[in-house]
Amino acid sequence: EVQLVESGGGLGQPGGSLTVSCAASGFTFSGYVMGWVRQVPGKGLELVSIISGSGTTTYYADSVKGRFTISRDNSKNILYLQMHSLRAEDTAVYHCVKSPFWNGYSYFDSWGQGTLVAVSS
Amino acid sequence: EIALTQSPATLSLSPGERATLSCRASQSISTYLAWYQQKPGQAPRLLVHGASNRASGIPPRFSGSGSGTDFTLTISSLEPEDFAVYYCQQRSHWPTFGGGTKVEIK
């Protein structure tokens, strides 16, 4: 059974940094695109970033480009999202997601419960 | 960026009724469309991919159709557990989601 468990959310300062992580299990982690989708509570969904199975290819939403960095450790089955220059509009639940593909744009067949990131002074 | 417009925003129906949800893309996306269901306090769950392919474990009362710019998710007979919010998502270009349709109990 696929399991995606996020951690590392919390309160961040405007202009500050936070890193969220996702521990994956139940599948061959290195074989699939992984990503982060965020959701403002009570609102819709936004894809933030995705990374290829090998970790060599990354993509970002325009809203976070240059501020967020996605990475993965295939030896530990962990996905990361480093968030810098945080803004109030980054406040959301961040879901770790798995694609059924090794590379490219995708839909997402497994989702974590999410971790809340709140940006406020 | 491809915009997805879902309608209606809210659908009020009774158990046993048929639900028809619409998703329209701002440009052609072939059949690169997926549908998700989200219940309160839960993560979204994949229902349909490739516009009409049910995901693993999804009951046959859920069906998807369409291609190009117009897509439909149909729930043939609503069960109590089907009352939720439904989102569409395209992957033809940078993946984007629709704003959602809430299916509520009438």
Side-chain angles (χ1 to χ4, degrees), chain A residues 37 39 43-50 59-61 95 101 105-109 111-113, chain B residues 1 34 36 38 41-46 49-50 87 89-95 97-99:
Chain A
V37 172
Q39 183 171 31
K43 301 294 185 182
L45 301 162
E46 179 189 21
L47 178 63
V48 171
S49 182
I50 54 174
Y59 302 93
Y60 298 92
H95 294 278
F101 306 125
Y105 297 153
S106 176
Y107 57 89
F108 305 106
D109 58 2
W111 295 62
Q113 278 295 107
Chain B
E1 179 175 297
Y36 301 87
Q38 187 177 32
Q42 296 185 17
R45 176 176 71 145
L46 178 67
H49 61 88
Y87 294 98
Q89 177 230 321
Q90 64 79 24
R91 70 176 186 95
S92 174
H93 294 71
W94 174 253
F97 294 86

Side-chain angles (χ1 to χ4, degrees), chain B residues 5-70:
Chain B
T5 302
Q6 290 188 242
S7 61
T10 304
L11 200 50
S12 299
L13 295 168
S14 300
E17 289 195 295
R18 182 184 189 90
T20 303
L21 288 66
S22 174
C23 177
R24 177 165 290 178
S26 59
Q27 65 187 80
S28 178
I29 57 171
S30 184
T31 57
Y32 293 122
L33 190 95
W35 290 93
Y36 301 87
Q37 176 193 67
Q38 187 177 32
K39 298 178 182 179
Q42 296 185 17
R45 176 176 71 145
L46 178 67
L47 297 175
V48 169
H49 61 88
S52 61
N53 302 297
R54 269 190 307 276
S56 175
I58 302 303
R61 64 179 181 272
F62 291 92
S63 63
S65 64
S67 66
T69 59
D70 290 302

